[in-house]
């Protein structure tokens, strides 16, 4: 019976971690956020494996208030300076903040993969916050950002220090584009004063206006989305791919074939120039650099000479971020 109770408490903790932003939005009458972001967890560390530790807030006698964190490739940074720390120095009993998920395995305690870990946290220190940008409007005075997991806008003033993570590249407010992850330090009034910008993980981002016009990297195309019979939103594959500098051709058997463009940076080694294929009424396939093919779930149709693909399938196959 005790095990059953612990399992139930674990599921409730997991649900609570994922639902906090939405619940807060509903309480004050705002619309809940449409996209979940990385979930913040904190507590003391107990290593359970070479790449795994238990993060326990210690507010309960059992493990219902803990999370198993899989470190993976997550950066381990100093909470004050943003500098890189050696994970080998993280010991049992140390306190860290970790951003995980948002997906969690419903086990007891819940398990999740870390996106970022912060250590060396002084007492009563206001820990910087980790965000994923879902949309942005940049002017000479500020960058107004929407972030995953929140209904509130985040405004980064032009006076804020904007720094790159682990590179010497120059970054500015203009680099705060959808899909970017950032760590933000704020002053006593809550205004961002330093922003650490992590490397961009996508080839670009796609958004759809209220008029249905598709935009790529903030630039509107001349094409609109289509809606499949099941309500799925479909994007015009050629308009999106060519706006990203890719090449698109038609093949009688493979359908629409998207390949690297001449000016695109290509991985080394590269066995196949093809990135994806999509057959109207048939299969959608993403192709890895070594030529390995993987099916992608979604709809493909052809209408008035234009081939459309489910936006989630296109984003997966071409490594694009779907902006708000």
């Amino acid at each position: 019976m005790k095990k059953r109770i612990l399992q139930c408490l674990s599921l409730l903790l997991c649900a609570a971690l994922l639902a906090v932003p939405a619940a807060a939005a509903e309480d004050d009458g705002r619309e809940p956020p449409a996209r979940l972001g990385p979930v913040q967890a904190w507590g003391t560390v107990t290593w359970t494996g070479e790449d795994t530790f238990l993060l326990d807030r210690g507010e309960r006698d059992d493990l219902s208030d803990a999370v198993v964190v899989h470190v993976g490739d997550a950066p381990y940074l100093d909470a004050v300076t943003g500098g890189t720390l050696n994970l080998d120095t993280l010991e049992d009993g140390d306190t860290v903040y970790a951003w995980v998920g948002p997906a969690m395995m419903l086990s007891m305690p819940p398990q999740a993969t870390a996106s970022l870990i912060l250590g060396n946290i002084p007492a009563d220190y206001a820990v910087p916050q980790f965000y994923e940008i879902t949309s942005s409007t940049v002017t000479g005075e500020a960058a107004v950002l929407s972030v995953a997991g929140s209904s509130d806008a985040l405004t980064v003033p032009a006076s804020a220090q904007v720094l790159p993570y682990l590179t010497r590249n120059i970054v500015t407010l203009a680099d705060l584009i959808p899909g970017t992850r950032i760590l933000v330090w704020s002053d006593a009034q809550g205004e961002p004063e330093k922003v650490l910008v992590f490397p961009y993980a996508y080839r670009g981002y796609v958004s759809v206006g209220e008029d249905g016009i598709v935009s790529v990297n903030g630039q509107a195309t001349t094409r609109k989305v289509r809606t499949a019979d099941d309500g799925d939103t479909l994007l015009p594959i050629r308009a999106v791919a060519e706006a990203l500098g890719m090449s698109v051709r038609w093949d009688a058997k493979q359908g629409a074939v998207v390949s690297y463009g001449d000016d695109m940076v290509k991985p080394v080694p590269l066995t196949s120039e093809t990135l994806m294929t999509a057959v109207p009424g048939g299969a959608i396939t993403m192709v890895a650099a070594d030529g390995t093919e993987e099916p992608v779930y979604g709809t493909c149709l052809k209408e008035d000479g234009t081939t459309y693909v489910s936006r989630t399938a296109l984003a997966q196959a071409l490594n694009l971020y779907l902006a708000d």
Side-chain angles (χ1 to χ4, degrees):
M1 176 63 71
K2 182 178 180 181
K3 182 178 179 181
R4 181 72 174 272
I5 292 173
L6 289 177
Q7 288 175 334
C8 291
L9 287 172
S10 173
L11 296 179
L12 288 172
L13 171 66
C14 184
L17 282 168
L18 293 176
V20 165
E26 291 173 348
D27 286 346
D28 63 8
R30 298 191 303 257
E31 288 294 324
R35 189 196 305 264
L36 291 172
V39 178
Q40 184 190 82
W42 66 95
T44 56
V45 169
T46 301
W47 284 99
T48 57
E50 183 178 348
D51 192 47
T52 306
F53 60 76
L54 183 72
L55 192 58
D56 189 357
R57 292 171 63 184
E59 296 180 0
R60 299 178 185 270
D61 293 333
D62 52 49
L63 294 179
S64 63
D65 206 35
V67 178
V68 175
V69 177
H70 297 272
V71 176
D73 297 325
Y76 177 40
L77 305 182
D78 188 296
V80 178
T81 67
T84 302
L85 297 175
N86 187 340
L87 199 63
D88 291 338
T89 64
L90 181 59
E91 300 178 347
D92 289 355
D94 289 348
T95 298
V96 300
Y97 274 64
W99 280 263
V100 298
M104 291 191 183
M105 289 180 275
L106 298 182
S107 59
M108 200 294 292
Q111 302 184 41
T113 300
S115 297
L116 175 68
I117 303 168
L118 294 182
N120 282 358
I121 304 169
D124 300 322
Y125 180 70
V127 175
Q129 295 299 300
F130 185 53
Y131 299 108
E132 176 184 296
I133 301 171
T134 61
S135 68
S136 62
T137 301
V138 180
T139 66
E141 299 179 352
V144 181
L145 313 174
S146 296
V147 295
S150 176
S151 298
D152 296 327
L154 175 68
T155 301
V156 180
S159 59
Q161 186 181 20
V162 184
L163 303 170
Y165 172 68
L166 289 185
T167 72
R168 295 180 179 273
N169 296 338
I170 296 175
V171 290
T172 67
L173 294 183
D175 294 290
L176 304 183
I177 60 176
T180 303
R181 289 188 167 188
I182 55 177
L183 187 63
V184 179
W185 287 259
S186 297
D187 60 21
Q189 288 70 45
E191 182 173 275
E193 57 184 0
K194 184 170 77 170
V195 179
L196 186 65
V197 182
F198 292 90
Y200 198 62
Y202 304 92
R203 290 196 177 100
Y205 63 94
V206 179
S207 59
V208 180
E210 294 182 0
D211 56 1
I213 294 291
V214 178
S215 293
V216 180
N217 291 343
Q219 300 298 314
T221 69
T222 60
R223 297 289 184 176
K224 290 187 175 184
V225 298
R226 290 292 182 269
T227 303
D229 292 339
D230 61 0
D232 190 11
T233 299
L234 311 179
L235 301 180
I237 188 170
R238 181 181 293 275
V240 172
E242 290 186 346
L244 293 163
M246 300 172 185
S247 173
V248 184
R249 63 181 175 84
W250 181 260
D251 182 86
K253 293 183 178 180
Q254 296 178 299
V257 180
V258 181
S259 303
Y260 285 94
D262 293 337
D263 297 329
M264 291 181 63
V265 176
K266 303 173 184 179
V268 178
L270 180 65
T271 301
S272 173
E273 291 275 345
T274 301
L275 289 164
M276 73 171 294
T277 62
V279 180
I284 304 170
T285 304
M286 60 186 296
V287 184
D290 63 1
T292 303
E293 297 184 354
E294 180 181 342
V296 180
Y297 177 78
T299 300
C300 178
L301 63 82
K302 194 171 185 178
E303 182 180 284
D304 298 330
T306 300
T307 304
Y308 296 88
V309 177
S310 298
R311 61 178 176 177
T312 52
L314 191 62
Q316 181 181 351
L318 300 184
N319 189 25
L320 308 178
Y321 187 81
L322 298 177
D324 290 344

